[in-house]
């Protein structure tokens, strides 16, 4: 009922009663109007964002304001909470400069240790003022009907992380551009190191790049601050570990004791990141965290020119000096890294549609919640507005088990949490390549109008066409892609079509999935991606060669006749006396 929606909108205080009445008159809406139509009109007139409209359609009238900021869109999710784009509720001088607000999750906001870590991240950010670091502007606590809500306000950067950039490019970065990104990050790290901080979690997803090619470091949630032994002690007591970081990029000495490292650990992680954005793969694409840690400690680092032979030998030597096993053999400071890289750098503009990215951030968050709680259902999920455009992959997983776990429990809070959506649908039994037969047997699943992609087993085997909107990979007899192995779960993963893009999602399997050697739970796919299921079955996603259109004989004949007549007419007019 539109009456219920309008009452929810009124209680939300996103619009004044006068504005609501004016919009209803202008659009000629009545009590019988569809709430979705009203919401779409409000979005089109920029009175609401997609995120706000979906929350209202789910009956949520609270959680749109933190302190004196109005939450507009979901920018991302993290281990400690949610990140939103926001603007001042009362704009000074008529300006509405956007900011990013990170809100501590309701599930962990009363945990003393984790709250200390959140505060440490904010305190670290407030001490840093550098063009290559995302600025922290404020740390505070807001009180609402649901209690105290810790939050931090950061500068809003209209950019994407380096992992997403590689996906948009469908491959690694050119070596000059990659060198420029790493040089900028080194400059930001030097600023942090001079102030007694070690980031301890440098990786592609923690590095933003803007359209003009500027790179910025974000997420100091694992930062080590000198003379702050209490926070480190709290973290160690909570987790019972001495190892913090991300296993694909962690420095060897950090795997032994992350509380005694210095800036050279960040240089190692930066070197691993450099390798990744140059080659498209992590240095040690192994299946288990202990194996990766062992490799970082003792296994020879792979030679970057084996995969990218075109990069100069001097640049390769710089990378390999960054990732030597012994800290004393690396560059002593990040400033030295920056100086060494300077001759090889080139700044390029980056092309991406940030508005399309924002439209699907809420969808990304809902999928993350759904994967964590497959039994959860939203009674009103059918009322949500569907965004259009290209979605970006979720951040790759593979985090050392001592990282703070993500909040996956949607509940009432001082902020508006996205609603989970249902991704479960019956799977097809025995895939086959005859669409008509499949459609007759399974009318509840829509077929893909034009099949463009297929999964090709490695080593070579019969391909599987992606010809249904949702296809389950698993050991079950009902799986669309059946893999007969005890390592494979009954319903292991889901391939789903979103617009014109395919996504793979882990269905809480035992042995996981990997894309291009990186463990993931939810990721957008591109042609050429390598997919591993349970580290036993391997596929390459390939495009199907589309047949060229052949003109019918009558069309060829007609074009030929027209051409001959044109030539004859030209000759005739040329032969006439002037």
């Amino acid at each position: 009922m539109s009456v219920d929606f309008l009452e929810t909108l009124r209680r939300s205080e996103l619009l004044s009663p006068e504005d609501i009445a004016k919009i209803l008159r202008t659009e000629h809406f009545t009590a019988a109007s569809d709430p979705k139509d009203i919401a779409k009109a409000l979005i089109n007139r920029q009175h609401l964002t997609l995120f706000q409209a979906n929350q209202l359609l789910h009956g949520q009238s609270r959680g749109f304001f933190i302190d004196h900021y109005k939450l507009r869109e979901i920018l991302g999710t993290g281990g400690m909470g949610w990140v939103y784009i926001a603007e001042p509720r009362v704009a000074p001088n008529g300006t509405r400069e956007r900011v990013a607000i990170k809100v501590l999750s309701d599930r962990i906001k009363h945990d003393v240790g984790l709250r200390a870590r959140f505060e440490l991240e904010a305190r670290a950010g407030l001490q840093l003022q550098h063009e290559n670091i995302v600025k922290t502007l404020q740390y505070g606590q807001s009180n609402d009907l649901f209690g105290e809500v810790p939050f931090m306000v950061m500068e809003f950067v209209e950019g994407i992380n380096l992992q997403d950039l590689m996906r948009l490019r469908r491959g690694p970065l050119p070596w000059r551009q990659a060198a420029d990104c790493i040089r900028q990050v080194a400059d930001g790290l030097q600023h942090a190191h001079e102030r007694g901080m070690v980031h301890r979690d440098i990786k592609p997803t923690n590095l933003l790049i803007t359209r003009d090619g500027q790179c910025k470091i974000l997420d100091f949630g694992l930062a080590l601050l000198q003379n702050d032994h209490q926070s480190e002690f709290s973290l160690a007591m909570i987790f019972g570990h001495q190892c913090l970081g991300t296993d694909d990029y962690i420095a060897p000495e950090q795997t032994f004791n992350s509380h005694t490292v210095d800036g050279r650990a960040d240089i190692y992680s930066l070197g691993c990141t450099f390798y990744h954005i140059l080659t498209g793969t992590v240095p040690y694409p192994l299946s288990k965290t202990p194996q990766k840690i062992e490799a970082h400690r003792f296994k020879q680092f792979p030679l970057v020119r084996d995969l990218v032979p075109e990069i100069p030998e001097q640049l390769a030597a710089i990378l390999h000096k960054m990732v030597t096993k012994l800290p004393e053999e690396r560059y002593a400071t990040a400033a030295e890294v920056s100086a060494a890289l300077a001759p090889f750098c080139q700044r390029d503009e980056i092309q991406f549609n940030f508005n399309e990215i924002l439209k699907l951030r809420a969808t990304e968050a809902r999928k993350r919640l759904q994967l964590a709680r497959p039994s959860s259902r939203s009674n009103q999920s059918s009322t949500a507005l569907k965004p259009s455009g290209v979605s970006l992959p979720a951040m790759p997983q593979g985090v050392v088990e001592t990282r703070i776990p993500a909040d996956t429990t949607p509940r009432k809070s001082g902020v508006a949490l996205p609603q989970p959506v249902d991704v479960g649908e019956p799977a097809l039994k025995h895939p086959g390549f005859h669409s008509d037969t499949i459609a007759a047997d399974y009318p509840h699943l829509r077929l893909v109008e034009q099949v463009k992609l297929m999964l090709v087993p490695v080593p070579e085997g019969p391909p599987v066409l992606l010809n249904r909107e949702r296809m389950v990979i698993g050991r079950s007899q009902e799986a669309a892609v059946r893999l007969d192995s005890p390592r494979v779960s009954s319903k292991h993963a889901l391939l789903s079509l979103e617009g014109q893009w395919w996504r793979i999602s882990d269905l809480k399997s035992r042995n996981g999935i990997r894309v291009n050697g990186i463990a993931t739970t939810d990721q957008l796919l591109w042609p050429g991606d390598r997919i591993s299921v349970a580290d036993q079955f391997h596929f390459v996603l390939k495009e199907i060669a589309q047949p060229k259109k052949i003109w019918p004989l009558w069309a060829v004949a007609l074009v030929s006749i027209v051409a001959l007549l044109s030539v004859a007419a030209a000759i005739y007019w040329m032969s006439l006396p002037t």
Side-chain angles (χ1 to χ4, degrees):
M1 290 290 291
S2 62
V3 175
D4 296 333
F5 173 78
L6 293 173
E7 177 59 22
T8 303
L9 175 60
R10 185 193 64 78
R11 292 199 309 269
S12 73
E13 299 182 5
L14 289 170
L15 297 175
S16 68
E18 294 77 16
D19 287 338
I20 296 174
K22 182 179 178 180
I23 293 167
L24 293 178
R25 289 195 303 269
T26 303
E27 300 290 341
H28 306 293
F29 288 121
T30 67
S33 299
D34 189 336
K36 288 178 65 175
D37 292 336
I38 300 177
K40 288 178 181 177
L42 293 171
I43 292 173
N44 292 335
R45 290 185 173 273
Q46 298 184 347
H47 293 298
L48 294 178
T49 66
L50 180 67
F51 161 72
Q52 292 167 344
N54 271 330
Q55 295 303 105
L56 293 169
L57 287 169
H58 282 92
Q60 293 196 25
S61 62
R62 297 192 180 277
F64 295 106
F65 298 96
I66 292 290
D67 200 43
H68 61 280
Y69 293 98
K70 179 194 296 186
L71 306 184
R72 292 185 53 82
E73 301 281 1
I74 291 179
L75 188 57
T77 60
M80 294 191 192
W82 302 82
V83 184
Y84 298 86
I85 297 177
E87 64 184 16
R89 187 171 187 174
V90 179
N93 302 323
T95 61
R96 289 191 177 275
E97 184 175 354
R98 291 184 292 178
V99 297
I101 293 187
K102 187 171 185 178
V103 183
L104 189 62
S105 158
D106 183 66
R107 182 175 65 90
I108 64 174
K109 69 182 183 183
H110 298 298
D111 187 301
V112 176
L114 298 185
R115 187 162 180 152
R117 173 56 65 181
F118 188 76
E119 293 176 359
L120 184 147
E121 177 183 359
R123 286 193 287 111
L126 288 169
Q127 297 177 45
L128 301 173
Q129 296 293 324
H130 193 274
E131 62 179 0
N132 298 120
I133 298 175
V134 175
K135 294 181 176 63
T136 300
L137 308 175
Q138 175 188 351
Y139 174 72
Q141 298 171 359
S142 176
N143 292 302
D144 63 9
L145 293 178
F146 302 106
E148 193 177 74
V149 182
F151 68 94
M152 70 178 78
V153 182
M154 300 170 288
E155 70 167 320
F156 168 66
V157 179
E158 195 167 294
I160 58 175
N161 66 57
L162 294 186
Q163 187 72 35
D164 287 347
L165 176 60
M166 293 172 63
R167 296 219 145 263
L168 288 179
R169 289 179 45 83
R170 303 191 182 190
L173 275 61
W175 60 266
R176 287 190 180 276
Q177 185 183 43
D180 183 64
C181 292
I182 299 302
R183 182 194 60 78
Q184 293 183 66
V185 176
D187 288 340
L189 286 175
Q190 180 66 26
H191 177 78
H193 295 165
E194 289 173 352
R195 282 146 187 81
M197 300 180 201
V198 184
H199 189 282
R200 294 194 299 189
D201 200 21
I202 293 295
K203 56 185 177 181
T205 52
N206 278 343
L207 306 176
L208 292 181
I209 188 167
T210 63
R211 288 190 182 89
D212 61 3
Q214 185 181 35
C215 285
K216 290 178 176 282
I217 307 169
L218 73 155
D219 194 354
F220 278 76
L222 291 188
L224 173 66
L225 276 65
Q226 289 182 353
N227 303 321
D228 190 1
H229 304 295
Q230 181 59 44
S231 296
E232 289 299 308
F233 176 77
S234 300
L235 206 62
M237 290 296 291
I238 292 168
F239 295 114
H241 282 254
Q242 298 295 318
C243 178
L244 294 169
T246 301
D247 54 7
D248 282 318
Y249 308 93
I250 192 169
E253 66 273 23
Q254 195 170 328
T255 67
F256 290 105
N257 189 335
S258 61
H259 308 317
T260 59
V261 298
D262 58 27
R264 292 171 296 181
D266 284 342
I267 292 175
Y268 182 94
S269 298
L270 186 60
C272 293
T273 299
F274 195 11
Y275 180 89
H276 182 61
I277 65 176
L278 282 171
T279 66
T281 185
V282 295
Y284 304 111
L286 303 169
S287 59
K288 304 293 184 182
T289 291
Q291 295 173 337
K292 294 181 182 183
I293 290 178
E294 191 76 4
H296 281 295
R297 289 174 175 174
F298 305 113
K299 190 174 181 180
Q300 180 179 356
F301 200 90
L303 298 176
V304 66
R305 297 186 83 241
D306 286 349
L307 295 180
V308 194
E310 65 269 23
I311 71 171
E313 291 185 6
Q314 301 95 318
L315 185 60
I318 294 171
L319 187 155
H320 288 291
K321 185 174 180 178
M322 296 170 68
V323 294
T324 55
K325 303 298 182 186
L326 297 177
E328 55 268 24
E329 294 180 358
R330 297 175 207 149
Y331 290 98
T333 66
E336 292 182 10
V337 176
S338 176
L341 290 172
F344 303 95
C345 296
Q346 177 176 310
R347 184 76 57 89
D348 293 321
E349 291 187 357
I350 310 297
Q351 300 296 325
F352 58 88
N353 189 329
F354 190 73
N355 289 331
E356 295 298 335
I357 295 172
L358 288 183
K359 285 181 181 180
L360 289 184
R361 283 308 185 190
T363 301
E364 292 284 347
R366 288 196 295 266
K367 284 181 174 292
R368 185 168 179 173
L369 286 173
Q370 178 61 32
L371 287 170
R373 299 187 65 193
S375 61
S376 64
R377 295 291 184 267
S378 174
N379 295 331
Q380 304 183 53
S381 60
S382 61
T383 66
L385 299 176
K386 303 297 183 183
S388 60
V390 180
S391 63
L392 290 176
M395 293 182 181
Q397 304 301 307
V399 176
V400 176
E401 61 267 28
T402 55
R403 277 300 302 265
I404 300 168
D407 175 23
T408 56
T409 308
R411 63 183 71 195
K412 284 187 174 181
S413 172
V415 296
L417 295 181
Q419 300 297 313
V421 295
D422 183 7
V423 299
E425 282 192 16
L428 293 175
K429 183 178 181 180
H430 305 304
F433 302 145
H434 301 289
S435 299
D436 293 340
T437 303
I438 295 174
D441 292 342
Y442 301 94
H444 57 280
L445 287 182
R446 289 191 295 171
L447 300 170
V448 176
E449 293 181 2
Q450 185 179 9
V451 180
K452 298 181 180 180
L453 297 174
M454 59 183 175
L455 283 178
V456 179
V458 180
E460 291 291 329
V464 178
L465 300 185
L466 302 189
N467 56 3
R468 274 86 69 197
E469 288 188 331
R470 301 198 178 192
M471 300 176 66
V472 172
I473 302 173
R475 196 176 70 252
S476 169
Q477 292 283 348
E478 297 179 349
V481 183
R482 186 182 175 196
L483 304 176
D484 189 12
S485 169
R487 286 185 56 82
V488 178
S489 300
S490 178
K491 291 184 178 180
H492 197 100
L494 174 70
L495 289 165
S496 56
L497 181 65
E498 296 182 1
Q500 57 178 324
W501 310 98
W502 283 90
R503 176 183 298 278
I504 189 167
S505 305
D506 194 317
L507 298 178
K508 304 295 288 184
S509 64
R510 290 190 300 275
N511 294 304
I513 56 176
R514 306 178 76 83
V515 176
N516 299 326
I518 300 176
T520 185
T521 58
D522 184 46
Q523 187 161 321
L524 188 73
L525 298 174
W526 298 94
D529 280 348
R530 305 182 308 278
I531 301 170
S532 298
V533 179
D535 291 316
Q536 183 176 9
F537 296 92
H538 310 282
F539 302 88
V540 175
L541 189 65
K542 292 187 176 182
E543 292 183 289
I544 298 175
Q546 301 297 323
K548 296 182 179 180
K549 292 184 178 180
I550 301 176
W551 285 23
L553 292 177
W554 64 266
V556 175
L558 180 61
V559 171
S560 301
I561 292 171
V562 171
L564 289 172
L565 289 175
S566 300
V567 172
I571 295 173
Y572 172 74
W573 286 107
M574 292 176 63
S575 64
L576 292 176
T578 58

